[in-house]
Amino acid sequence: DVKVTQSSRYLVKRTGEKVFLECVQDMDHENMFWYRQDPGLGLRLIYFSYDVKMKEKGDIPEGYSVSREKKERFSLILESASTNQTSMYLCASSSIAGGRNEQYFGPGTRLTVT
Amino acid sequence: AQSVTQLDSQVPVFEEAPVELRCNYSSSVSVYLFWYVQYPNQGLQLLLKYLSGSTLVKGINGFEAEFNKSQTSFHLRKPSVHISDTAEYFCAVSAGGFGNEKLTFGTGTRLTIIP
């Protein structure tokens, strides 16, 4: 089974802090994704990576950056956390094999910025 | 670009009754369609997917969905729901084939089962 793990289930940070959210997948997937989930808005794509050191902006990249130094690990960085970044963050991965686009999700990190 | 509309944000259903969760999509190219389920305090889990072939797709936990190209719909159905089906359900679409890895998600439908 594909396993996607996220470093924390719950995180509380103060405004202005630098925040790192880590995601690791164990299935050698090429693609990795970061989403934020807010009530009534569904999932919105923040950033997408299709290879090591390669990244592409999603729909809402402002205030975020990402890092992918190894194939299995994709980090989301909040350079200076703000209260409007309080949200559930979900990481996902997918394989390009077969062109099927099915994504596998981690359990999520609920981030609160105070 | 693709888009997804889930018209019902909340659907209450009595236990053992049938349910249909609606999903409509918009795309100028052929698509892949997915339904994901999110149980409380968990990530998303794939319920079923349509890639090609038969328009009736069966998934896990007794769910099924029908791809209707003329109506651009992919509604999710279950003939008899259980308390354990209480969750949020997301419909998603991607352009088919290689090089189109991104999914576009709907805003979700919260299914509440009434005992």
Side-chain angles (χ1 to χ4, degrees), chain A residues 25-80:
Chain A
Q25 50 94 3
D26 67 357
M27 281 301 290
D28 202 36
H29 283 172
E30 295 80 10
N31 304 317
M32 296 188 76
F33 308 81
W34 274 107
Y35 295 90
R36 65 176 281 174
Q37 181 183 9
D38 300 289
L41 297 178
L43 276 73
R44 294 179 291 168
L45 182 65
I46 305 172
Y47 266 99
F48 159 49
S49 170
Y50 49 93
D51 201 351
V52 174
K53 296 190 186 296
M54 306 303 286
K55 62 186 180 185
E56 189 176 306
K57 290 181 180 178
D59 302 316
I60 52 164
E62 297 78 19
Y64 303 94
S65 62
V66 290
S67 172
R68 193 167 179 200
E69 298 296 320
K70 293 183 177 181
K71 190 175 185 180
E72 68 271 17
R73 188 179 297 269
F74 191 35
S75 302
L76 180 69
I77 303 156
L78 287 65
E79 295 288 344
S80 178

Side-chain angles (χ1 to χ4, degrees), chain B residues 38-53:
Chain B
Q38 184 180 36
Y39 298 107
N41 298 315
Q42 294 186 27
L44 274 68
Q45 177 183 354
L46 183 69
L47 263 182
L48 49 80
K49 60 190 175 189
Y50 171 79
L51 304 179
S52 64

Side-chain angles (χ1 to χ4, degrees), chain A residues 5-21:
Chain A
T5 57
Q6 295 183 229
S7 51
S8 306
R9 292 300 305 274
Y10 300 93
L11 208 53
V12 179
K13 296 292 182 181
R14 294 198 179 275
T15 302
E17 278 192 82
K18 190 169 185 175
V19 181
F20 292 87
L21 302 183

